[in-house]
Amino acid sequence: MILKPVYIVFGVSGSGKTTIGNVLAKELDIPFFDADDFHPQSNIQKMSDGYSLDDNDRTPWLSILTDQIKNWHQDKGAVLACSALKIKYREKLESFNSDLIHWIFLDGDYDLILSRLKERKGHFFQSELLTSQFDVLEKPTKGISIKVNQSTTHMVTEIKSKLNVQKSQIGLFGLGVMGKSLAKNILSNNFSLSVYNRHIKEKEVDVAKNFADELTVKPKPFDDLQLFVESLQQPRIIMLMISAGPVIDQVVKDLLPFLNTGDCILDGGNSHYKDTIRREKLLSIEGISFLGVGISGGEEGALKGPSIMPGGTRKGYEQCSNFLEAIAAKDKGNKACCSYIGSEGSGHFVKMIHNGIEYGEMQLLAEIYHLLRHYLEKKPSEIEKIFTSWRTRNKDSYLLEITTDILLKKEGSGYLIDKILDKADQKGTGSWSSISALKTGVPFSTISEAVMVRFLSAKKDERIKASNIYNYEISISSENKAFLLKQLEEAYYAASIINHAIGFDSLKQTSLEYDWNLNLSEIARIWTNGCIIRSDLMEKMAVLLSNDNDTSVLLFPEIVDTMNSHISKLTFVVSNGLQIGCALPVLSAASNYFLNYTSAQMSANMIQAQRDYFGAHKYQRIDKKEGEYFHTDWKN
Ligand code: 6PG
């Protein structure tokens, strides 16, 4: 059983024990008791008759109180107002468990307390007995002392600060890499914080305590769930920083018995938006807000300011907005890269699409690196120079920046990148975004292709086998090499624009499906800093979309100008790259998407004819009204 602390406010009569004890108990959300209420009748009578109590009188009273204290430890804890003037009385009161008793001495001089007592009415203690109380009082050797010549609020605040029992504004659950970084960020923004990490024998022991010990500004550490929840100000804000999946349901279930109506749980992981929709509905029945909070920026972002995408009820968001906006990255205008996304699981949906765009951008850079390294035979340091030059020409991005760092990383005399196994892992968000696009019917070419490439990369053994079986001759003239090299920068930029257009298009379409009313320019704005896909291009997106939330990205006049001058470079790189045997799946997907998107005539007339041929699925005609369907007997 977990024992709770008991706070004993003590001092002579008239020092304010009942007033202070009551307010303190209310703020700590635990019961208040007055020791005078536990006196045997004989003691009350004696005091009313004007006699002071002797030690014999106090013995049964102290025994009653000691028993009560034991019960309170086992229940919710308590605040007790008690004179406890002598050390031996105090020793008796703490005899069950002295570690769990907090002594709070109310220290006032005789004249002040006498004047207070004279103003009191209806109290059985007579002010004349004050002198004897001061004679008996043995000043405390432990606990804290509070001067009584201050306001009640001031005294209670001082008590809480001296005892370190102030309730925390925020609770953070889960101290993995991201959780720890976010906790430091929250503390550096001057929020009081409680942190929780589970206890697993021999595996996760004292994680929260050890973390707090490392820091100068410390959070309150817990490995007991109830105490963690009780350490938080109400209504509570609890941020979960744990892996996505069924574990979130389990944690919510474990937390629920300790929560109250109005509390708010934030899921800061990469949960599937449909799980978030379900959890939000379930918790709203209990009167608890559940926000699905997409957080991007990795470990460094969590520490210095991530991009934050919160979805759920607006009321829930408003409860947490000043905290979330304080810890978020800031855009160029110093506005927080955090904004209310919309209802239900929209925050996690937007984070999922962020990750989809991230997959596309990563693969684009990987493909271009691969082409340069293995087909145009450039050294990593030469590729770094090429990429760095792009950064200076309005194509800077966080992903381009880290790619240049990666290219320069050496291990011994060689480059580390050359030693990394070419099998890409994934945690799920890229695949989820593709599945969701398939379900909604959104063309998702670059992103789903980037997911497929990761899957194909995992078939390493089979690829090695196939590479030994197939032997195709590949050559490229040095003039062609030089020409290909020249087209790369613009080809990359065009593909990147297409990848972004695809991501924003899926936001727009899903927003309509769920009635989320997503503000695309605001989403682009909160993606301009803190997150993995922050870039010069994202800055441009935010501006373009702020003028028009509805137009497709590829139809903005400024983008049309860029694409008109860049598309031939993209198609040249793709066709020549393929010709020399270099797979360029996302560059190709981008080209094909764009060529089809900009075609008044696609190949789908043939698909419709084929469907009608074998399945009588019918087709529409260009020479008839839209919506009118026809079937042909194709064999006769
Ligand atoms: C971010 C990232 C992050 C993601 C990792 C790994 O925005 O900070 O998107 O949330 O988990 O990038 O994702 P994969 O393992 O699927 O590549």
Side-chain angles (χ1 to χ4, degrees):
M1 170 180 289
I2 303 151
L3 298 177
K4 312 287 161 43
V6 170
Y7 302 86
I8 304 184
V9 185
F10 72 108
V12 296
S13 190
S15 56
K17 299 186 292 291
T18 311
T19 311
I20 298 298
N22 253 310
V23 177
L24 181 64
K26 225 170 246 147
E27 293 204 9
L28 299 182
D29 198 19
I30 51 178
F32 169 76
F33 298 99
D34 193 327
D36 285 346
D37 295 339
F38 295 87
H39 270 296
Q41 187 51 40
S42 52
N43 286 0
I44 296 173
Q45 192 55 52
K46 196 169 173 182
M47 286 189 283
S48 305
D49 293 345
Y51 298 105
S52 47
L53 302 177
D54 60 27
D55 279 358
N56 284 337
D57 301 321
R58 288 195 175 96
T59 306
W61 174 62
L62 288 170
S63 292
I64 295 170
L65 285 172
T66 309
D67 287 346
Q68 288 297 330
I69 287 171
K70 187 174 167 188
N71 292 338
W72 298 332
H73 280 315
Q74 290 167 352
D75 190 18
K76 292 182 175 154
V79 175
L80 172 70
C82 177
S83 51
L85 299 178
K86 287 189 183 176
I87 290 176
K88 67 175 181 183
Y89 305 158
R90 302 198 281 268
E91 283 172 351
K92 171 74 179 156
L93 291 175
E94 65 178 19
S95 57
F96 173 66
N97 188 335
S98 61
D99 287 344
L100 286 173
I101 298 287
H102 295 286
W103 291 102
I104 302 159
F105 176 57
L106 301 189
D107 188 9
D109 65 34
Y110 180 85
D111 291 339
L112 175 70
I113 291 182
L114 184 63
S115 66
R116 282 187 180 184
L117 280 173
K118 282 186 172 159
E119 283 165 20
R120 272 197 194 176
K121 289 195 178 87
H123 192 268
F124 62 74
F125 189 92
Q126 292 176 357
S127 56
E128 289 72 28
L129 295 181
L130 185 62
T131 317
S132 79
Q133 289 227 335
F134 268 93
D135 289 343
V136 174
L137 173 68
E138 292 168 4
K139 287 262 177 155
T141 50
K142 61 199 287 192
I144 60 165
S145 284
I146 304 292
K147 291 276 179 215
V148 299
N149 58 350
Q150 342 171 48
S151 71
T152 303
T153 321
H154 198 283
M155 285 169 72
V156 172
T157 310
E158 192 181 330
I159 291 170
K160 288 198 299 181
S161 122
K162 282 190 167 163
L163 288 177
N164 196 22
V165 291
Q166 255 124 332
K167 299 230 168 187
S168 305
Q169 291 162 290
I170 312 291
L172 187 138
F173 185 113
L175 287 172
V177 178
M178 288 290 282
K180 280 185 179 164
S181 296
L182 207 69
K184 288 182 191 163
N185 180 350
I186 295 169
L187 289 165
S188 73
N189 277 288
N190 300 320
F191 289 97
S192 51
L193 177 71
S194 290
V195 290
Y196 170 91
N197 199 88
R198 65 188 174 179
H199 170 92
I200 301 181
K201 210 174 156 204
E202 285 165 16
K203 280 190 184 152
E204 290 179 46
V205 180
D206 286 339
V207 175
K209 188 181 165 299
N210 293 341
F211 173 64
D213 285 348
E214 281 166 20
L215 303 176
T216 329
V217 182
K218 295 185 189 313
K220 285 200 190 118
F222 295 91
D223 59 11
D224 177 278
L225 203 53
Q226 183 174 356
L227 294 183
F228 165 67
V229 175
E230 284 173 358
S231 75
L232 303 175
Q233 283 174 19
Q234 291 191 48
R236 302 179 179 93
I237 297 175
I238 300 176
M239 170 74 100
L240 308 183
M241 291 303 290
I242 48 179
S243 312
V247 66
I248 304 273
D249 294 309
Q250 188 53 50
V251 167
V252 167
K253 200 169 148 211
D254 294 345
L255 281 168
L256 215 49
F258 311 122
L259 299 182
N260 298 98
T261 306
D263 289 349
C264 185
I265 301 178
L266 293 81
D267 174 7
N270 275 333
S271 288
H272 194 286
Y273 71 100
K274 288 203 172 163
D275 285 331
T276 305
I277 293 176
R278 174 176 57 77
R279 289 171 186 141
E280 202 245 309
K281 265 200 193 108
L282 210 70
L283 283 166
S284 71
I285 298 167
E286 310 284 336
I288 289 163
S289 302
F290 185 83
L291 297 183
V293 182
I295 298 184
S296 175
E299 190 184 348
E300 194 183 311
L303 181 68
K304 297 184 182 162
S307 170
I308 305 182
M309 297 145 250
T313 62
R314 193 175 273 281
K315 183 173 156 267
Y317 177 68
E318 274 159 14
Q319 199 174 321
C320 314
S321 59
N322 71 352
F323 147 64
L324 290 176
E325 289 172 21
I327 63 166
K330 305 294 174 285
D331 69 8
K332 284 198 170 144
N334 206 29
K335 224 173 143 193
C337 289
C338 167
S339 196
Y340 176 61
I341 297 291
S343 61
E344 306 177 311
S346 57
H348 274 147
F349 178 81
V350 168
K351 174 63 186 5
M352 184 185 79
I353 299 303
H354 165 284
N355 283 23
I357 298 174
E358 172 187 300
Y359 269 54
E361 293 301 301
M362 288 168 77
Q363 181 59 31
L364 278 178
L365 288 170
E367 275 168 28
I368 294 168
Y369 146 77
H370 186 67
L371 174 68
L372 286 165
R373 181 82 184 104
H374 300 286
Y375 296 83
L376 302 184
E377 285 142 6
K378 297 279 176 205
K379 288 203 256 343
S381 56
E382 291 171 316
I383 304 173
E384 184 275 331
K385 281 203 178 63
I386 294 170
F387 284 174
T388 298
S389 73
W390 296 0
R391 291 187 60 199
T392 59
R393 289 190 288 271
N394 297 329
K395 294 176 193 75
D396 200 9
S397 72
Y398 170 73
L399 284 169
L400 192 54
E401 180 189 340
I402 65 163
T403 306
T404 57
D405 284 350
I406 290 166
L407 287 164
L408 290 185
K409 187 79 182 168
K410 283 200 151 185
E411 201 180 66
S413 56
Y415 290 96
L416 178 57
I417 188 66
D418 290 339
K419 295 181 185 152
I420 295 181
L421 183 68
D422 57 336
K423 273 168 89 170
D425 290 329
Q426 51 188 314
K427 294 210 193 74
T429 45
S431 307
W432 294 346
S433 67
S434 304
I435 293 168
S436 144
L438 285 172
K439 286 197 173 146
T440 318
V442 178
F444 216 49
S445 316
T446 49
I447 299 173
S448 53
E449 192 53 42
V451 177
M452 298 308 141
V453 186
R454 290 204 193 184
F455 288 144
L456 191 53
S457 78
K459 292 158 102 49
K460 175 79 175 175
D461 295 342
E462 205 173 323
R463 285 194 286 114
I464 293 174
K465 213 189 266 173
S467 76
N468 291 327
I469 294 170
Y470 288 95
N471 254 318
Y472 30 90
E473 278 299 307
I474 288 155
S475 69
I476 182 169
S477 67
S478 48
E479 301 88 74
N480 257 356
K481 252 191 202 178
F483 197 61
L484 195 54
L485 204 58
K486 269 201 186 144
Q487 317 298 313
L488 269 182
E489 179 177 350
E490 292 181 338
Y492 162 67
Y493 194 50
S496 180
I497 290 174
I498 296 164
N499 183 48
H500 281 70
I502 288 171
F504 278 98
D505 184 44
S506 83
L507 289 178
K508 195 162 73 179
Q509 305 241 9
T510 313
S511 173
L512 289 175
E513 189 186 330
Y514 282 93
D515 212 7
W516 281 336
N517 216 2
L518 295 181
N519 181 338
L520 300 192
S521 73
E522 188 60 3
I523 292 171
R525 187 192 66 74
I526 66 172
W527 285 349
T528 59
N529 202 7
C531 68
I532 304 295
I533 57 171
R534 60 186 188 259
S535 64
D536 288 343
L537 179 57
M538 196 60 79
E539 297 277 355
K540 198 186 283 291
M541 293 286 156
V543 175
L544 291 174
L545 289 159
S546 70
N547 299 327
D548 183 347
N549 199 46
D550 292 320
T551 301
S552 299
V553 168
L554 290 172
L555 299 182
F556 283 119
E558 191 182 330
I559 298 290
V560 173
D561 285 348
T562 309
M563 290 307 294
N564 270 333
S565 62
H566 286 41
I567 187 62
S568 58
K569 318 284 174 15
L570 175 58
T571 51
F572 180 88
V573 166
V574 170
S575 51
N576 283 274
L578 293 179
Q579 226 159 47
I580 59 170
C582 178
L584 298 169
V586 174
L587 283 161
S588 307
S591 318
N592 284 318
Y593 178 92
F594 185 81
L595 295 179
N596 268 329
Y597 181 75
T598 53
S599 290
Q601 176 70 57
M602 273 181 67
S603 52
N605 49 336
M606 178 54 81
I607 301 288
Q608 285 298 79
Q610 290 163 339
R611 291 175 71 245
D612 190 54
Y613 187 110
F614 62 68
H617 294 299
K618 299 185 179 169
Y619 54 87
Q620 297 182 80
R621 299 176 59 103
I622 55 172
D623 52 355
K624 300 282 180 193
K625 271 204 310 236
E626 202 186 329
E628 221 180 312
Y629 278 83
F630 299 88
H631 169 60
T632 297
D633 179 359
W634 295 92
K635 287 190 188 138
N636 297 305

